[in-house]
Amino acid sequence: MSRTKPPQHFADLSRDARRGWIQELGLPAFRANQISTHYFQHHNDDPDTWSDFPANARELVKEKVLPRLLTPVRSITCDGGKTRKDLWRLHDGVLVESVLMRYSDRATVCISSQAGCGMNCPFCATGQAGLTRNLTAGEITAQVVAAARACESGEIAGGPIRLSNVVFMGMGEPLANYNAVLQSIRNITTAVPDGLGIGARSVTLSTVGIVSGIEKLIEESIPVTLAVSLHTPDDELRDTLVPINERWKVSEVLAAADKYAEKTGRRYSIEYALIRDINDQAWRADLLGRLLKNRNAHVNLIPLNPTPGSKWTASRKEDERTFVRTLENYGVPVTVRDTRGREIDGACGQLAAAETLIPTRTDN
Ligand code: SAH
């Protein structure tokens, strides 16, 4: 098993650092702008096809500046070709996944920020195998670039479309890999050609509720949409469903999210996986309604996607309806998430689950 660090990539660095690095490599600084245009604006990482770039510098860029970070292992599609899960191998053999979902008017990619996850939520498949390692900014960004390219090229059913949304809801806890995630958010949201030019509002960062990370994010002034995986309004149950709750309680997480909403002017989301007879009782809906009624929050109910071997399952439809109605009675905006990608294990918490049954690393 190779434990070498991933090779440094253009997308790991800030705009200024990229220019410095390009000069260190013996190229004029303006070549950094050309590389940015090809990579972030045109989603083209193959210097051999760059006709405006000197032929004798292409090899250097290919090897040193844009080394291949993701190797496709396989893609599986469902929903009539409108949902596609991609499995990627990283340079050290570690596997991660991303999921592309096409809707009539937009296309969303769900990306991974870590290989595995250390947060240990018992209902989530990714959590069961623990954390393998953090991804680099380059590895996170490359998932988005690959998705943007797939959208434009018309590989996804429904014809070419622009990638419009990015959600950090794949494998990993983004705020546990803060610096790399932040640089990738900069790459995604910075205007072309220095970034992909996707609006911050169209990027959603989902967290278990790492309060120190939410507070740091407030200081960055990048108004990405924040999603908090609450899953229950009471600390007693949340200590078991989202174990980081032993460190930061429900009230502290909501206070941090409120501060985030105030600073960014953005409504946040509360993620709530409905688990039959565990967190779906009417009294919990009532408690959640009371907790959120005066907050700038929207509830996203997710029918639990059962993980292999788990005794938990999704709520009964009537309990789901009662839950929705109770929240609505409090004036809390609520939606039930669709179940895109279920049949390809592309749904919440399921990414790479099938692969964890076989070794997730290969020697190289
Ligand atoms: N670590 C981040 C991102 C993870 S996945 C976080 O926890 O927010 C995005 C969402 O999917 C989270 O709300 C997570 O709790 C939820 N999720 C995980 N496993 C699930 C499952 N089996 N069924 C439904 N939702 C699940």
Side-chain angles (χ1 to χ4, degrees), residues 164-213:
S164 54
N165 296 74
V166 179
V167 297
F168 284 83
M169 292 189 185
M171 300 167 77
E173 167 48 43
L175 294 182
N177 182 17
Y178 190 89
N179 292 340
V181 164
L182 194 79
Q183 179 57 43
S184 69
I185 289 175
R186 291 194 196 286
N187 294 337
I188 295 162
T189 60
T190 300
V192 292
D194 292 316
L196 283 117
I198 295 174
R201 284 152 191 262
S202 307
V203 176
T204 300
L205 184 144
S206 180
T207 176
V208 287
I210 297 186
V211 167
S212 55

Short mmCIF file of all heavy atoms in Angstrom, two decimals, residues 164-213:
data_model
loop_
_atom_site.label_atom_id
_atom_site.label_comp_id
_atom_site.label_asym_id
_atom_site.label_seq_id
_atom_site.Cartn_x
_atom_site.Cartn_y
_atom_site.Cartn_z
N SER A 164 -24.70 23.20 -12.64
CA SER A 164 -25.15 24.40 -11.92
C SER A 164 -24.99 24.33 -10.41
O SER A 164 -24.90 25.36 -9.75
CB SER A 164 -26.62 24.69 -12.25
OG SER A 164 -27.42 23.55 -11.99
N ASN A 165 -24.96 23.13 -9.84
CA ASN A 165 -24.93 23.00 -8.38
C ASN A 165 -23.92 21.96 -7.91
O ASN A 165 -23.70 20.96 -8.58
CB ASN A 165 -26.31 22.57 -7.86
CG ASN A 165 -27.39 23.60 -8.13
OD1 ASN A 165 -27.84 23.75 -9.26
ND2 ASN A 165 -27.78 24.33 -7.10
N VAL A 166 -23.35 22.24 -6.75
CA VAL A 166 -22.42 21.30 -6.13
C VAL A 166 -22.85 21.09 -4.69
O VAL A 166 -23.12 22.06 -3.97
CB VAL A 166 -20.97 21.84 -6.14
CG1 VAL A 166 -20.01 20.87 -5.47
CG2 VAL A 166 -20.50 22.13 -7.57
N VAL A 167 -22.95 19.84 -4.27
CA VAL A 167 -23.28 19.57 -2.86
C VAL A 167 -22.19 18.70 -2.24
O VAL A 167 -21.78 17.69 -2.81
CB VAL A 167 -24.69 18.92 -2.69
CG1 VAL A 167 -25.78 19.88 -3.16
CG2 VAL A 167 -24.81 17.60 -3.40
N PHE A 168 -21.71 19.13 -1.07
CA PHE A 168 -20.73 18.33 -0.32
C PHE A 168 -21.53 17.34 0.53
O PHE A 168 -21.63 17.48 1.74
CB PHE A 168 -19.86 19.22 0.56
CG PHE A 168 -18.79 19.98 -0.18
CD1 PHE A 168 -19.08 21.17 -0.81
CD2 PHE A 168 -17.48 19.48 -0.24
CE1 PHE A 168 -18.09 21.87 -1.49
CE2 PHE A 168 -16.49 20.18 -0.91
CZ PHE A 168 -16.80 21.37 -1.55
N MET A 169 -22.11 16.36 -0.14
CA MET A 169 -22.94 15.37 0.55
C MET A 169 -22.54 13.95 0.17
O MET A 169 -23.30 13.01 0.34
CB MET A 169 -24.42 15.59 0.23
CG MET A 169 -24.98 16.88 0.81
SD MET A 169 -26.77 16.94 0.64
CE MET A 169 -27.10 18.59 1.26
N GLY A 170 -21.34 13.82 -0.36
CA GLY A 170 -20.84 12.49 -0.65
C GLY A 170 -20.13 11.95 0.58
O GLY A 170 -20.54 12.21 1.72
N MET A 171 -19.06 11.22 0.36
CA MET A 171 -18.34 10.65 1.49
C MET A 171 -17.61 11.75 2.25
O MET A 171 -17.04 12.66 1.67
CB MET A 171 -17.29 9.65 1.00
CG MET A 171 -17.90 8.49 0.22
SD MET A 171 -16.61 7.57 -0.64
CE MET A 171 -15.93 6.61 0.71
N GLY A 172 -17.60 11.60 3.58
CA GLY A 172 -16.75 12.46 4.40
C GLY A 172 -17.46 13.62 5.07
O GLY A 172 -18.58 13.98 4.73
N GLU A 173 -16.78 14.17 6.07
CA GLU A 173 -17.27 15.33 6.79
C GLU A 173 -16.44 16.53 6.33
O GLU A 173 -15.27 16.66 6.70
CB GLU A 173 -17.12 15.10 8.30
CG GLU A 173 -17.30 16.34 9.16
CD GLU A 173 -18.55 17.17 8.84
OE1 GLU A 173 -19.64 16.61 8.63
OE2 GLU A 173 -18.41 18.41 8.78
N PRO A 174 -17.03 17.42 5.52
CA PRO A 174 -16.23 18.49 4.93
C PRO A 174 -15.52 19.39 5.96
O PRO A 174 -14.38 19.80 5.73
CB PRO A 174 -17.23 19.29 4.09
CG PRO A 174 -18.58 18.76 4.40
CD PRO A 174 -18.41 17.42 5.02
N LEU A 175 -16.17 19.66 7.08
CA LEU A 175 -15.53 20.57 8.04
C LEU A 175 -14.43 19.88 8.85
O LEU A 175 -13.71 20.53 9.60
CB LEU A 175 -16.56 21.23 8.95
CG LEU A 175 -17.54 22.18 8.23
CD1 LEU A 175 -18.51 22.82 9.22
CD2 LEU A 175 -16.80 23.25 7.43
N ALA A 176 -14.27 18.57 8.68
CA ALA A 176 -13.14 17.87 9.30
C ALA A 176 -11.94 17.87 8.35
O ALA A 176 -10.88 17.32 8.67
CB ALA A 176 -13.54 16.44 9.67
N ASN A 177 -12.10 18.47 7.19
CA ASN A 177 -11.01 18.59 6.21
C ASN A 177 -11.03 20.03 5.71
O ASN A 177 -11.14 20.30 4.51
CB ASN A 177 -11.23 17.58 5.07
CG ASN A 177 -10.12 17.60 4.03
OD1 ASN A 177 -9.02 18.13 4.26
ND2 ASN A 177 -10.41 17.04 2.86
N TYR A 178 -10.98 20.94 6.66
CA TYR A 178 -11.34 22.34 6.41
C TYR A 178 -10.55 23.00 5.28
O TYR A 178 -11.12 23.57 4.36
CB TYR A 178 -11.21 23.15 7.71
CG TYR A 178 -11.81 24.53 7.56
CD1 TYR A 178 -13.14 24.76 7.83
CD2 TYR A 178 -11.03 25.59 7.11
CE1 TYR A 178 -13.71 26.01 7.66
CE2 TYR A 178 -11.59 26.85 6.93
CZ TYR A 178 -12.93 27.05 7.21
OH TYR A 178 -13.49 28.28 7.02
N ASN A 179 -9.22 22.97 5.38
CA ASN A 179 -8.43 23.77 4.42
C ASN A 179 -8.62 23.31 2.98
O ASN A 179 -8.77 24.13 2.08
CB ASN A 179 -6.94 23.73 4.79
CG ASN A 179 -6.68 24.48 6.10
OD1 ASN A 179 -7.49 25.31 6.53
ND2 ASN A 179 -5.57 24.17 6.74
N ALA A 180 -8.61 22.01 2.79
CA ALA A 180 -8.77 21.50 1.42
C ALA A 180 -10.17 21.80 0.90
O ALA A 180 -10.35 22.18 -0.26
CB ALA A 180 -8.50 19.99 1.39
N VAL A 181 -11.17 21.66 1.77
CA VAL A 181 -12.54 21.94 1.35
C VAL A 181 -12.68 23.42 1.01
O VAL A 181 -13.28 23.79 0.00
CB VAL A 181 -13.55 21.50 2.44
CG1 VAL A 181 -14.93 22.11 2.22
CG2 VAL A 181 -13.65 19.97 2.44
N LEU A 182 -12.07 24.27 1.83
CA LEU A 182 -12.19 25.70 1.56
C LEU A 182 -11.54 26.07 0.23
O LEU A 182 -12.10 26.83 -0.56
CB LEU A 182 -11.58 26.52 2.68
CG LEU A 182 -12.06 27.94 2.49
CD1 LEU A 182 -13.49 28.11 2.99
CD2 LEU A 182 -11.14 28.93 3.09
N GLN A 183 -10.35 25.53 -0.03
CA GLN A 183 -9.70 25.84 -1.32
C GLN A 183 -10.55 25.31 -2.47
O GLN A 183 -10.68 25.95 -3.51
CB GLN A 183 -8.27 25.27 -1.37
CG GLN A 183 -7.54 25.54 -2.68
CD GLN A 183 -7.46 27.03 -3.02
OE1 GLN A 183 -7.20 27.87 -2.18
NE2 GLN A 183 -7.71 27.36 -4.30
N SER A 184 -11.17 24.14 -2.28
CA SER A 184 -12.01 23.63 -3.37
C SER A 184 -13.24 24.51 -3.54
O SER A 184 -13.67 24.76 -4.67
CB SER A 184 -12.38 22.16 -3.14
OG SER A 184 -13.25 22.01 -2.05
N ILE A 185 -13.79 25.04 -2.46
CA ILE A 185 -14.94 25.96 -2.59
C ILE A 185 -14.51 27.22 -3.35
O ILE A 185 -15.23 27.72 -4.20
CB ILE A 185 -15.53 26.32 -1.20
CG1 ILE A 185 -16.26 25.12 -0.61
CG2 ILE A 185 -16.48 27.52 -1.31
CD1 ILE A 185 -16.76 25.32 0.81
N ARG A 186 -13.29 27.69 -3.06
CA ARG A 186 -12.80 28.86 -3.81
C ARG A 186 -12.67 28.51 -5.29
O ARG A 186 -13.05 29.30 -6.15
CB ARG A 186 -11.44 29.32 -3.27
CG ARG A 186 -11.51 29.94 -1.89
CD ARG A 186 -10.21 30.68 -1.56
NE ARG A 186 -10.10 30.96 -0.15
CZ ARG A 186 -10.80 31.90 0.50
NH1 ARG A 186 -11.65 32.66 -0.16
NH2 ARG A 186 -10.64 32.07 1.80
N ASN A 187 -12.14 27.33 -5.58
CA ASN A 187 -12.01 26.92 -6.99
C ASN A 187 -13.38 26.85 -7.67
O ASN A 187 -13.51 27.21 -8.84
CB ASN A 187 -11.34 25.55 -7.10
CG ASN A 187 -9.90 25.55 -6.63
OD1 ASN A 187 -9.24 26.59 -6.62
ND2 ASN A 187 -9.40 24.38 -6.23
N ILE A 188 -14.36 26.38 -6.96
CA ILE A 188 -15.69 26.19 -7.54
C ILE A 188 -16.39 27.54 -7.75
O ILE A 188 -17.03 27.77 -8.77
CB ILE A 188 -16.56 25.28 -6.63
CG1 ILE A 188 -15.97 23.86 -6.56
CG2 ILE A 188 -18.02 25.24 -7.10
CD1 ILE A 188 -16.48 23.03 -5.38
N THR A 189 -16.23 28.44 -6.79
CA THR A 189 -17.05 29.67 -6.80
C THR A 189 -16.36 30.89 -7.42
O THR A 189 -17.04 31.85 -7.76
CB THR A 189 -17.50 30.04 -5.37
OG1 THR A 189 -16.35 30.25 -4.56
CG2 THR A 189 -18.37 28.96 -4.76
N THR A 190 -15.03 30.86 -7.54
CA THR A 190 -14.35 32.01 -8.15
C THR A 190 -14.76 32.10 -9.63
O THR A 190 -14.92 31.09 -10.30
CB THR A 190 -12.82 31.84 -8.02
OG1 THR A 190 -12.50 31.77 -6.63
CG2 THR A 190 -12.07 33.00 -8.65
N ALA A 191 -14.92 33.35 -10.09
CA ALA A 191 -15.31 33.56 -11.49
C ALA A 191 -14.28 32.96 -12.44
O ALA A 191 -13.09 32.90 -12.11
CB ALA A 191 -15.47 35.06 -11.75
N VAL A 192 -14.71 32.56 -13.62
CA VAL A 192 -13.78 32.08 -14.64
C VAL A 192 -12.88 33.26 -15.04
O VAL A 192 -13.34 34.41 -15.00
CB VAL A 192 -14.51 31.53 -15.89
CG1 VAL A 192 -15.24 30.27 -15.54
CG2 VAL A 192 -15.42 32.55 -16.50
N PRO A 193 -11.64 33.04 -15.38
CA PRO A 193 -11.00 31.74 -15.56
C PRO A 193 -10.29 31.19 -14.32
O PRO A 193 -9.73 30.12 -14.39
CB PRO A 193 -9.97 32.03 -16.66
CG PRO A 193 -9.54 33.44 -16.40
CD PRO A 193 -10.76 34.15 -15.85
N ASP A 194 -10.32 31.94 -13.21
CA ASP A 194 -9.56 31.45 -12.05
C ASP A 194 -10.30 30.38 -11.25
O ASP A 194 -9.75 29.77 -10.32
CB ASP A 194 -9.17 32.61 -11.14
CG ASP A 194 -8.15 33.52 -11.81
OD1 ASP A 194 -7.20 32.97 -12.41
OD2 ASP A 194 -8.31 34.75 -11.78
N GLY A 195 -11.59 30.20 -11.56
CA GLY A 195 -12.37 29.17 -10.89
C GLY A 195 -13.46 28.73 -11.86
O GLY A 195 -13.51 29.19 -13.00
N LEU A 196 -14.35 27.85 -11.36
CA LEU A 196 -15.39 27.33 -12.26
C LEU A 196 -16.57 28.29 -12.42
O LEU A 196 -17.44 28.06 -13.27
CB LEU A 196 -15.90 25.99 -11.73
CG LEU A 196 -14.96 24.83 -12.00
CD1 LEU A 196 -14.47 24.23 -10.70
CD2 LEU A 196 -15.63 23.76 -12.83
N GLY A 197 -16.66 29.30 -11.57
CA GLY A 197 -17.70 30.30 -11.75
C GLY A 197 -19.10 29.82 -11.40
O GLY A 197 -20.09 30.30 -11.95
N ILE A 198 -19.19 28.89 -10.45
CA ILE A 198 -20.51 28.44 -9.97
C ILE A 198 -20.84 29.30 -8.74
O ILE A 198 -20.03 29.43 -7.84
CB ILE A 198 -20.49 26.94 -9.62
CG1 ILE A 198 -20.25 26.12 -10.91
CG2 ILE A 198 -21.78 26.51 -8.93
CD1 ILE A 198 -20.06 24.63 -10.68
N GLY A 199 -22.02 29.90 -8.72
CA GLY A 199 -22.36 30.81 -7.62
C GLY A 199 -22.30 30.13 -6.26
O GLY A 199 -22.69 28.97 -6.13
N ALA A 200 -21.81 30.86 -5.26
CA ALA A 200 -21.69 30.28 -3.92
C ALA A 200 -23.04 29.76 -3.42
O ALA A 200 -23.11 28.75 -2.72
CB ALA A 200 -21.13 31.32 -2.94
N ARG A 201 -24.09 30.46 -3.81
CA ARG A 201 -25.42 30.02 -3.37
C ARG A 201 -25.81 28.67 -3.94
O ARG A 201 -26.72 28.01 -3.43
CB ARG A 201 -26.47 31.04 -3.83
CG ARG A 201 -26.45 32.26 -3.00
CD ARG A 201 -26.90 33.49 -3.73
NE ARG A 201 -26.57 34.62 -2.88
CZ ARG A 201 -27.43 35.23 -2.06
NH1 ARG A 201 -28.68 34.88 -2.04
NH2 ARG A 201 -27.02 36.19 -1.28
N SER A 202 -25.17 28.29 -5.01
CA SER A 202 -25.48 27.01 -5.63
C SER A 202 -24.58 25.89 -5.11
O SER A 202 -24.58 24.78 -5.63
CB SER A 202 -25.33 27.12 -7.15
OG SER A 202 -26.09 28.20 -7.62
N VAL A 203 -23.79 26.21 -4.08
CA VAL A 203 -22.92 25.21 -3.46
C VAL A 203 -23.43 24.96 -2.05
O VAL A 203 -23.66 25.91 -1.30
CB VAL A 203 -21.45 25.72 -3.41
CG1 VAL A 203 -20.56 24.72 -2.68
CG2 VAL A 203 -20.93 25.99 -4.82
N THR A 204 -23.65 23.70 -1.70
CA THR A 204 -24.14 23.37 -0.36
C THR A 204 -23.11 22.54 0.38
O THR A 204 -22.64 21.52 -0.12
CB THR A 204 -25.47 22.59 -0.43
OG1 THR A 204 -26.44 23.40 -1.11
CG2 THR A 204 -26.00 22.26 0.95
N LEU A 205 -22.76 23.02 1.58
CA LEU A 205 -21.85 22.27 2.43
C LEU A 205 -22.68 21.66 3.54
O LEU A 205 -23.35 22.37 4.28
CB LEU A 205 -20.78 23.20 2.99
CG LEU A 205 -19.71 22.52 3.83
CD1 LEU A 205 -18.37 23.19 3.61
CD2 LEU A 205 -20.05 22.54 5.31
N SER A 206 -22.64 20.33 3.64
CA SER A 206 -23.42 19.62 4.65
C SER A 206 -22.50 19.14 5.75
O SER A 206 -21.47 18.52 5.48
CB SER A 206 -24.13 18.43 3.98
OG SER A 206 -24.89 17.72 4.93
N THR A 207 -22.86 19.43 6.99
CA THR A 207 -21.99 19.07 8.11
C THR A 207 -22.76 18.40 9.24
O THR A 207 -23.94 18.67 9.44
CB THR A 207 -21.26 20.32 8.68
OG1 THR A 207 -20.48 19.93 9.82
CG2 THR A 207 -22.23 21.41 9.10
N VAL A 208 -22.05 17.54 10.00
CA VAL A 208 -22.63 16.95 11.20
C VAL A 208 -22.82 18.00 12.29
O VAL A 208 -23.51 17.76 13.28
CB VAL A 208 -21.72 15.83 11.78
CG1 VAL A 208 -21.78 14.58 10.92
CG2 VAL A 208 -20.29 16.31 11.96
N GLY A 209 -22.19 19.15 12.12
CA GLY A 209 -22.34 20.21 13.13
C GLY A 209 -21.06 20.47 13.89
O GLY A 209 -21.06 20.56 15.12
N ILE A 210 -19.95 20.59 13.16
CA ILE A 210 -18.68 20.94 13.78
C ILE A 210 -18.68 22.46 13.96
O ILE A 210 -18.45 23.22 13.02
CB ILE A 210 -17.50 20.45 12.92
CG1 ILE A 210 -17.56 18.92 12.85
CG2 ILE A 210 -16.16 20.95 13.46
CD1 ILE A 210 -16.41 18.26 12.17
N VAL A 211 -19.01 22.89 15.18
CA VAL A 211 -19.26 24.31 15.44
C VAL A 211 -18.03 25.16 15.15
O VAL A 211 -18.13 26.23 14.53
CB VAL A 211 -19.77 24.51 16.88
CG1 VAL A 211 -19.75 25.98 17.28
CG2 VAL A 211 -21.20 23.96 17.00
N SER A 212 -16.85 24.67 15.51
CA SER A 212 -15.64 25.47 15.27
C SER A 212 -15.45 25.70 13.77
O SER A 212 -15.01 26.77 13.34
CB SER A 212 -14.41 24.76 15.84
OG SER A 212 -14.32 23.45 15.31
N GLY A 213 -15.82 24.73 12.97
CA GLY A 213 -15.70 24.85 11.51
C GLY A 213 -16.73 25.82 10.94
O GLY A 213 -16.43 26.61 10.05
#
